[in-house]
Amino acid sequence: MKTIVITGSASGIGAATAQHYSAAGCRVIGIDLRGADIEADLSCASGRDKAISEVLQRSNGHIDSLICCAGLGGNHPPALVASVNYFGVTVLLDGLFEALRASGGNAVVVASVAATQGNWDGHPLREAFLAGNEEQARTLATDAGHGMLAYAASKHAIVCHIRAQSKIWGEAGVRLNAVAPGAVETPLLQQSMDDPLIGKATRDFLPPLGRRAQPAEIAQVIAFLASDAAVYVHGSLLVADGGIDAMSRPQRF
Ligand code: NAD
């Protein structure tokens, strides 16, 4: 039986992914703030340590897939967004790497189409993320103002991190990929729709496909990347956004 570890398993895309794997007869170990097998706060070092040690204990050090879904939208305090969306992912990837290697496993990180928008080249916030400097990233994220900037920067940086890890992880036989959803009907999107600053724009916007995604539709993309059908896919960002990225920058990819 395969062991699948899913962060953010209590809601939205993470819950749909947990459902997908449970229905397929896999053993799911969910991590979330509440309502999960392991209740841990991925915004801080002690919570990440707790999550890693409990996963290693429950899995006997063998994991087939790690799916990182936990995340916060841009309506949350920017420093918190930086901590959860970037360091809550990289620390888990590092901490569970050996357990993935032991099974010839793989990891999939849920980024966002926001990762592909804007130009972050040389931006101090991106550099702080990539340097692994959480304190500086939190300060710069706060200085940037609205949490949407921290959100986009954290998602862009996590994709950069995955690409930078592709050699080490590939040589270890552990595939590492990311998914970039667009607008998915979850509590996170609803919070953005209710936000006084970005709510109207979020509500009014529809992707080229003419509708927002359902969480289960993104779970299927995640499951594909984690499956043997994607055995040669590594270091990739799979955009599953109903056409938002293609529409917004048709000549850049
Ligand atoms: P969601 O709010 O439904 O689920 C996110 C989960 O993460 C929640 O269960 C929450 O409790 C958990 N979480 C948040 N902070 C945490 C912490 N400190 N420690 C542990 N768990 C924590 O949101 P969702 O839309 O399913 O989001 C899943 C991922 O998809 C996120 O990374 C998000 O950025 C990304 N994403 C979502 C959309 C969208 O439109 N919904 C679009 C692009 C990307």
Side-chain angles (χ1 to χ4, degrees):
M1 182 190 285
K2 289 200 167 178
T3 299
I4 315 291
V5 176
I6 304 174
T7 75
S9 61
S11 177
I13 296 168
T17 307
Q19 234 170 6
H20 171 96
Y21 280 112
S22 294
C26 297
R27 177 181 183 208
V28 173
I29 303 175
I31 304 169
D32 209 308
L33 286 169
R34 284 168 289 281
D37 304 298
I38 300 172
E39 296 189 344
D41 181 354
L42 299 177
S43 72
C44 60
S46 60
R48 295 167 198 151
D49 287 349
K50 179 184 184 217
I52 291 165
S53 65
E54 287 196 25
V55 165
L56 293 177
Q57 211 174 10
R58 285 169 182 254
S59 67
N60 272 331
H62 286 72
I63 305 170
D64 293 286
S65 295
L66 167 64
I67 318 281
C68 296
C69 295
L72 290 175
N75 57 309
H76 290 270
L80 194 58
V81 172
S83 283
V84 175
N85 291 8
Y86 187 84
F87 299 99
V89 177
T90 55
V91 174
L92 253 73
L93 290 174
D94 286 350
L96 298 177
F97 175 73
E98 285 303 331
L100 289 165
R101 175 150 68 175
S103 306
N106 62 77
V108 179
V109 173
V110 180
S112 166
V113 70
T116 69
Q117 311 295 300
N119 182 0
W120 293 98
D121 289 351
H123 195 287
L125 181 49
R126 182 180 83 168
E127 300 316 312
F129 278 126
L130 297 182
N133 190 336
E134 184 165 2
E135 205 182 311
Q136 193 185 15
R138 286 175 62 94
T139 303
L140 290 170
T142 303
D143 292 349
H146 196 274
M148 270 320 288
L149 285 168
Y151 183 80
S154 66
K155 294 297 187 181
H156 178 84
I158 199 63
V159 176
C160 294
H161 175 79
I162 285 166
R163 293 168 67 84
Q165 293 296 100
S166 61
K167 184 154 170 28
I168 294 171
W169 281 58
E171 285 172 355
V174 187
R175 295 187 302 109
L176 174 60
N177 292 292
V179 176
V184 189
E185 290 184 353
T186 70
L188 180 149
L189 183 68
Q190 189 58 51
Q191 285 165 14
S192 295
M193 287 182 166
D194 295 341
D195 185 85
L197 192 68
I198 58 170
K200 185 173 183 333
T202 310
R203 289 192 300 275
D204 289 351
F205 177 77
L206 273 186
L209 274 185
R211 65 175 180 84
R212 303 179 188 97
Q214 293 303 310
E217 294 172 320
I218 304 304
Q220 284 179 22
V221 177
I222 293 168
F224 161 71
L225 280 176
S227 76
D228 287 347
V231 75
Y232 203 66
V233 183
H234 175 54
S236 282
L237 174 67
L238 204 167
V239 177
D241 67 349
I244 298 171
D245 183 47
M247 179 184 69
S248 64
R249 36 171 224 153
Q251 290 167 3
R252 286 194 62 215
F253 51 87

